Amino acid sequence: MATAIRERERIQATPNGLVRDRYADPTMTRAAREKRIAWRLDHLDEWQRDLENLAHYDPRYAYDVAHEYDHDWTTDPDYGPRAIDLLEFDEDGVQHREDTRPQAIELHMRDTLQDRFGHRVVYQNRYGFVEEIAENLGLLTRQGRPSNTIKPDLMVMPSEEELLSDQDPDRRPRPDDPVPELVLEILSESTAARDLGDKRLLYEALGVHEYLVYDLGGKRRPGSPRSLLLYRLEGGIYRQMAPEPKRSSSDPDRHWSDVFGTYIRFLPDVRENAEEFRKLPEGNRPPPRFQWWDTAESRWRDHETDAEIERDRVVQERDRIVQERDRVVQENDRIAQERDQAVQERDRLAQERTSMAIDLLRAHLGSELATAHRNRIEAVWHRDGPPTDVVDRILQVRSTPDAWQSLLLPDKPDNDTGSAVTNT
């Protein structure tokens, strides 16, 4: 099988004057490909042996001689094993400019739809259907074999079970296989005609309730506006649904979706008109966000916005916890300060009481007691504080000086009815 040999050419892009690299491959012109197609039709066995030598060969797949299948790339948009690049060429064999936005949109939509529908969302998986549908719609390979496998960008299945065609390698599609409720395709220059033609008729025949097609601008035709196309099955026929009337000219179009049960839209990235991004090729600019309207929360939702809101909530909760911790620390400091003040006040009052008791002792017993006895009494009072009935004891010792040691005794317990003074 022919391997593309790309010759680099430089072209002058408009309108911003940027010089971009594009690939031109003489083996990928329409004429060169038609010659290889004719050769393959005459040498099907040899072509089949080449296919079987590929590491990613799948005997269930209807390979088409109209496409190229190489070890790490293909021109068949419905083939798509993992790590196999899809290359798109125009009639002159020039590879279409790389546009990073479709994959970014698909990944973003996958996460957003999974938040909404869980494991019902299938991303970049092949879907098989019975050959009779392919035959009725004329979906045939160039060699006349029914082409009954497609690879939508995104599907929403009616339940969380996996696609039946991926469970058993030997199982063939059946008429009672589950049909997606919703399919999304992001248009490219080379797939737009098929996505809006054969695939639309196929999804209609399968009974897919809603079919979403997104044009990033210039994909359906040169200069086509950026827009979401929504087809809904009514009476077994797809009807293109018009967007809801805009509330202002700055609002993006929004459509009602039966599958979502609410409105959906694509919101342009706020950075796309920034000077730094306007200098980039359009395919490298920030892609729009797919969103759905949450009636309960009264806001537009998508995976990234939800993550941003959750991050803000976590930060706010963390700040609240820090503030609460600081408040508790301040409250504990205040309580400790008040406790210290209370202790200081208690000690001050105790010192005043001790000083008053000593002054009373000296006034009434200064001449009756020996200095050594008085000093001993004062030392005990400084240490333990005077008795609560110190006045009565001083007056009693005044009349009986030999009972001076009663001034050293502690208070009696409240339940002790005996005298607080013991004569010695």
Side-chain angles (χ1 to χ4, degrees), residues 175-345:
D176 60 346
D177 284 347
V179 174
E181 291 186 339
L182 179 145
V183 171
L184 167 81
E185 299 282 8
I186 306 295
L187 298 183
S188 67
E189 289 91 339
S190 63
T191 65
R194 185 163 182 262
D195 288 339
L196 293 171
D198 289 344
K199 279 193 173 181
R200 182 177 62 83
L201 294 175
L202 171 62
Y203 298 143
E204 181 181 80
L206 289 173
V208 177
H209 185 67
E210 286 182 340
Y211 177 36
L212 306 182
V213 179
Y214 189 61
D215 183 351
L216 277 159
K219 305 300 182 182
R220 288 171 288 173
R221 60 185 181 277
S224 61
R226 180 168 56 187
S227 58
L228 170 65
L229 309 179
L230 188 152
Y231 298 91
R232 182 175 300 135
L233 202 62
E234 294 185 352
I237 298 175
Y238 270 150
R239 176 186 171 195
Q240 184 176 345
M241 312 306 294
E244 294 287 321
K246 289 187 177 183
R247 299 181 180 181
S248 69
S249 58
S250 61
D251 288 341
D253 287 339
R254 64 175 186 172
H255 293 73
W256 175 267
S257 168
D258 286 348
V259 176
F260 276 84
T262 186
Y263 290 102
I264 60 175
R265 72 178 186 180
F266 275 93
L267 179 68
D269 193 289
V270 295
R271 302 170 298 171
E272 69 174 4
N273 292 322
E275 185 63 28
E276 60 179 312
F277 289 104
R278 294 183 64 181
K279 296 178 180 179
L280 295 175
E282 187 175 7
N284 294 335
R285 296 178 187 176
R289 291 186 181 185
F290 176 82
Q291 299 182 316
W292 59 277
W293 176 255
D294 189 332
T295 305
E297 298 188 13
S298 296
R299 67 179 180 91
W300 289 98
R301 294 187 58 178
D302 63 80
H303 185 74
E304 292 180 15
T305 301
D306 287 351
E308 292 166 0
I309 291 176
E310 178 62 17
R311 284 195 297 270
D312 292 342
R313 187 196 66 77
V314 171
V315 170
Q316 292 173 359
E317 179 65 13
R318 183 187 62 196
D319 292 344
R320 186 194 66 78
I321 293 174
V322 171
Q323 291 174 0
E324 180 64 16
R325 183 191 63 194
D326 292 344
R327 186 194 66 77
V328 171
V329 170
Q330 292 174 358
E331 180 66 12
N332 290 338
D333 290 344
R334 183 190 66 78
I335 294 173
Q337 186 178 13
E338 290 181 353
R339 182 185 62 211
D340 293 342
Q341 291 174 351
V343 170
Q344 292 173 2
E345 180 65 13

Side-chain angles (χ1 to χ4, degrees), residues 345-359:
E345 180 65 13
R346 184 193 64 193
D347 292 344
R348 186 187 66 78
L349 293 175
Q351 291 173 1
E352 287 184 358
R353 181 170 175 272
T354 299
S355 297
M356 292 174 61
I358 291 174
D359 290 343

Side-chain angles (χ1 to χ4, degrees), residues 38-86:
W39 182 89
R40 290 167 186 156
L41 287 172
D42 291 336
H43 302 81
L44 287 176
D45 291 341
E46 185 176 346
W47 177 66
Q48 180 67 31
R49 285 194 297 272
D50 287 341
L51 290 175
E52 294 174 359
N53 287 329
L54 296 174
H56 49 79
Y57 174 73
D58 182 354
R60 297 174 298 171
Y61 189 72
Y63 289 91
D64 193 338
V65 295
H67 289 296
E68 309 292 328
Y69 303 93
D70 212 317
H71 295 285
D72 58 356
W73 64 274
T74 183
T75 59
D76 186 346
D78 287 323
Y79 185 51
R82 303 298 181 189
I84 302 301
D85 293 331
L86 174 65

